[in-house]
Amino acid sequence: MKIDILTLFPEMFAALKESILGRAQKKGKIRINVINIRDYTQDKHLKCDDYPFGGGAGMVMMAQPIGSAIEAVDPQHTARRIYLSPKGETLKQQKVFSLLSYEHLVLLCGHYEGVDQRAIDLYIDEEISIGDYVLTGGELPAMVLTDCICRYVDGVISTSSLVDESFSENLLEYPQYTRPKEYKGVSVPEVLLTGDHAKVDEWRRKESLRLTKEKRPDLLGK
């Protein structure tokens, strides 16, 4: 899996070099490239934004630097090109699974008041939102999407760790416990100490159902 991330603020993506994704990149399981859009502007002052036609507050990212950057990283349009936008489809687990079918993703991070619509119309395949709220830019959503996808790439996380996660089978994950057996007067549920795997599985299933009914009953309708 190769992911190219186009942004005006590449320094924000240092977090992707840490923890599980950092180790996966060192092992060659995934390739994450952060591209500075300013490197592709034709403006001698490296300008990549301007005032919106029609007036209004803020600045709009210009089409030319974005288009040139995308053409450079995906000249034959073989990648899936995604613009992280509050106007896009809300990210769900099934969307993550569908994106795993692509070997190459290009993620465009908007900023300021957004992106010139011509860049979207000419170069973008789909828009994705991580929720019904507005952020200062697309960098954090790009990190969220990258993390969601990469953890399912073969060899990034052990297969056993991906079983029974939240949203698998439209259920939330059951509670987890570790040592010590008792903490501040609260004990680990006795069934988890029995060694009876059938009973443990039954308890976990019931807890998943209970939590889903309490916290996300909308999932059960699916």
Side-chain angles (χ1 to χ4, degrees), residues 66-212:
I66 293 171
S68 295
I70 292 177
E71 289 173 350
V73 300
D74 182 32
Q76 301 301 318
H77 198 166
T78 56
R80 187 66 172 174
R81 300 170 177 179
I82 300 168
Y83 172 42
L84 284 306
S85 162
K87 293 184 290 185
E89 174 188 355
T90 303
L91 181 63
K92 303 287 186 182
Q93 196 67 31
Q94 288 305 313
K95 170 57 70 172
V96 173
F97 292 147
S98 70
L99 291 176
L100 284 167
S101 63
Y102 296 96
E103 295 182 1
H104 184 193
L105 300 176
V106 175
L107 309 184
L108 171 62
C109 303
H111 220 86
Y112 310 122
E113 290 301 309
V115 168
D116 188 308
Q117 186 64 38
R118 291 168 293 186
I120 300 171
D121 294 341
L122 291 170
Y123 291 101
I124 297 299
D125 297 314
E126 66 176 306
E127 299 180 47
I128 292 179
S129 167
I130 63 168
D132 294 338
Y133 46 86
V134 180
L135 299 169
T136 55
E139 283 76 18
L140 291 175
M143 283 186 253
V144 169
L145 182 60
T146 298
D147 188 276
C148 287
I149 293 169
C150 288
R151 63 195 307 276
Y152 288 100
V153 174
D154 288 343
V156 174
I157 296 179
S158 64
T159 304
S160 60
S161 296
L162 299 174
V163 177
D164 293 334
E165 292 188 307
S166 288
F167 305 111
S168 62
E169 299 183 356
N170 288 320
L171 294 176
L172 299 182
E173 190 177 13
Y174 47 78
Q176 299 278 12
Y177 298 87
T178 188
R179 293 181 177 80
K181 292 181 182 179
E182 183 177 314
Y183 174 68
K184 293 192 174 182
V186 182
S187 298
V188 174
E190 191 63 31
V191 65
L192 299 180
L193 307 176
T194 64
D196 188 325
H197 296 298
K199 288 183 178 180
V200 169
D201 288 343
E202 181 182 3
W203 177 86
R204 286 175 169 171
R205 180 73 177 183
K206 288 180 178 178
E207 285 296 296
S208 288
L209 283 167
R210 178 184 65 80
L211 288 172
T212 306

Side-chain angles (χ1 to χ4, degrees), residues 3-17:
I3 300 179
D4 290 322
I5 303 173
L6 278 57
T7 175
L8 293 175
F9 302 96
E11 296 83 2
M12 291 182 67
F13 291 89
L16 296 182
K17 298 179 181 179

